[in-house]
Amino acid sequence: MFNFLFPLIAIIWEKLWNSFDKINFNKTKIKPQNQIFLVFIVMFLWAIVWFIVKWEKIPNFSLELFVMILVIIFISFFQNIFQFNWISKKDLQAREPIITLAPIITACIAYIVFPSEREEKYIIAILLSILILYIFHFKKSFKITFDRWILLIFGWVITSAVLANIYKYGLNIISPELLLTFRTAWILLLLLLFKQVIITKKDFSNKALKLWLLSGCFYFIWHLTRLYSIKILWLNLTILLLFLWPVFIFLFSFFILKEKIEMKNIISSFLILGVVIGTIVI
């Protein structure tokens, strides 16, 4: 039962991380490449600390491990470039209908590639959850305009789906802590080589400093708990559990912020919760 906490923790920290990144872009006008670089420095430092605390054994070098890390670094680099660029420009709510495609693409790849992921009930449950979100949450008037920012979001969707499946494969070889440490270290190096990162005094103003420090901490927690969830609960179950985010948001709004919740949000939350619980029990 404790293992189910990993994806639930990941839900909370992902929303916090996205929100703080967007606030930083809006308030300080920080450049995307600078934001990625600073956030990844924070992540890398946390990863080193976590690695030392856990003292994970470094696996023996092999061609398989080398190729896997190279592929993760390459895809992660482009995934983060896509993500931080559209977060800096596009309204977060505007991207939700598109990024919701990532889970089903991820699940379908996992179903094809990994025998352990070939349970049709998870594919069906993920499709039902997406359908509930589209019916109850997304504006009926939503239209896709194929501009540069939409293409960046689609790029993020594809790279995220592929990357999640590579993580599943890689976690059979290497621990979540080491995988995260290698990933962040090499992305920092690639950013320095290819993205012309020039840190300014403005990036270290009190407001900017607090925001990217918090963002880096939230991103680290989200990434590590997600990797643990993929390793322990498998990929498609992790994806399904991550669909509980509307339930968490509405519970937080109702009990903590004391806001009134629309009936459609209550209905959709219970429907998604029912789909998740029903799929796990069956």
Side-chain angles (χ1 to χ4, degrees):
M1 195 67 182
F2 176 78
N3 293 335
F4 284 89
L5 289 175
F6 288 118
L8 302 183
I9 293 170
I11 292 170
I12 297 169
W13 296 105
E14 181 192 14
K15 297 306 172 185
L16 287 171
W17 155 56
N18 277 334
S19 298
F20 274 87
D21 271 345
K22 186 63 181 177
I23 292 168
N24 203 4
F25 285 124
N26 290 339
K27 298 289 185 182
T28 67
K29 308 301 179 185
I30 189 172
K31 292 181 179 180
Q33 63 266 33
N34 291 7
Q35 173 76 349
I36 303 173
F37 184 74
L38 293 169
V39 165
F40 267 74
I41 284 178
V42 177
M43 282 182 65
F44 178 68
L45 293 174
W46 274 112
I48 291 292
V49 169
W50 190 263
F51 172 73
I52 293 172
V53 169
K54 288 207 69 180
W55 199 249
E56 290 285 340
K57 182 182 177 182
I58 298 176
N60 295 327
F61 177 81
S62 65
L63 181 61
E64 181 185 22
L65 177 61
F66 178 72
V67 171
M68 182 206 68
I69 291 174
L70 278 183
V71 173
I72 286 176
I73 292 165
F74 179 78
I75 297 175
S76 295
F77 179 73
F78 284 101
Q79 181 208 30
N80 283 280
I81 295 298
F82 291 144
Q83 183 167 18
F84 279 84
N85 273 282
W86 60 249
I87 285 179
S88 67
K89 299 294 182 182
K90 206 73 177 174
D91 178 18
L92 288 180
Q93 290 184 345
R95 54 102 187 201
E96 291 290 350
I98 303 173
I99 67 165
T100 309
L101 297 173
I104 191 59
I105 296 173
T106 306
C108 288
I109 294 173
Y111 184 88
I112 294 168
V113 175
F114 302 107
S116 61
E117 300 287 352
R118 288 173 190 165
E119 289 193 63
E120 288 81 1
K121 67 176 184 178
Y122 291 121
I123 304 293
I124 295 169
I126 291 167
L127 281 170
L128 283 174
S129 299
I130 291 173
L131 184 61
I132 291 167
L133 287 176
Y134 270 89
I135 292 172
F136 288 94
H137 291 278
F138 302 142
K139 293 179 180 179
K140 303 297 185 293
S141 59
F142 174 78
K143 292 181 181 179
I144 296 178
T145 304
F146 283 96
D147 56 14
R148 177 192 173 191
W149 311 114
I150 293 297
L151 292 176
L152 286 172
I153 298 174
F154 274 114
W156 178 86
V157 166
I158 300 301
T159 51
S160 294
V162 173
L163 192 59
N165 282 277
I166 297 172
Y167 284 157
K168 176 176 173 60
Y169 176 80
L171 289 168
N172 293 319
I173 307 170
I174 195 171
S175 71
E177 292 84 7
L178 273 175
L179 193 153
L180 185 54
T181 303
F182 283 135
R183 177 183 183 267
T184 51
W186 280 99
I187 288 179
L188 282 171
L189 180 61
L190 290 174
L191 285 168
L192 286 173
L193 291 174
F194 298 110
K195 290 304 290 183
Q196 295 182 334
V197 177
I198 302 174
I199 304 299
T200 64
K201 286 184 178 179
K202 185 177 70 173
D203 298 331
F204 281 90
S205 66
N206 287 336
K207 186 181 291 184
L209 180 65
K210 291 175 184 176
L211 287 169
W212 60 254
L213 279 174
L214 286 169
S215 182
C217 293
F218 296 155
Y219 196 8
F220 168 76
I221 296 169
W222 168 72
H223 218 304
L224 189 62
T225 51
R226 183 167 169 260
L227 288 174
Y228 267 107
S229 183
I230 293 171
K231 182 178 179 68
I232 296 169
L233 297 176
W234 304 119
L235 184 53
N236 283 343
L237 178 54
T238 295
I239 293 169
L240 180 60
L241 289 169
L242 292 176
F243 271 100
L244 290 172
W245 63 263
V247 180
F248 276 75
I249 289 172
F250 299 133
L251 285 174
F252 179 81
S253 300
F254 184 75
F255 289 106
I256 306 299
L257 302 180
K258 306 298 181 182
E259 294 178 351
K260 291 183 178 179
I261 308 298
E262 293 183 40
M263 183 56 66
K264 68 173 185 177
N265 292 334
I266 296 172
I267 294 171
S268 65
S269 296
F270 276 107
L271 285 173
I272 291 174
L273 188 60
V275 168
V276 171
I277 294 173
T279 306
I280 293 170
V281 171
I282 293 173

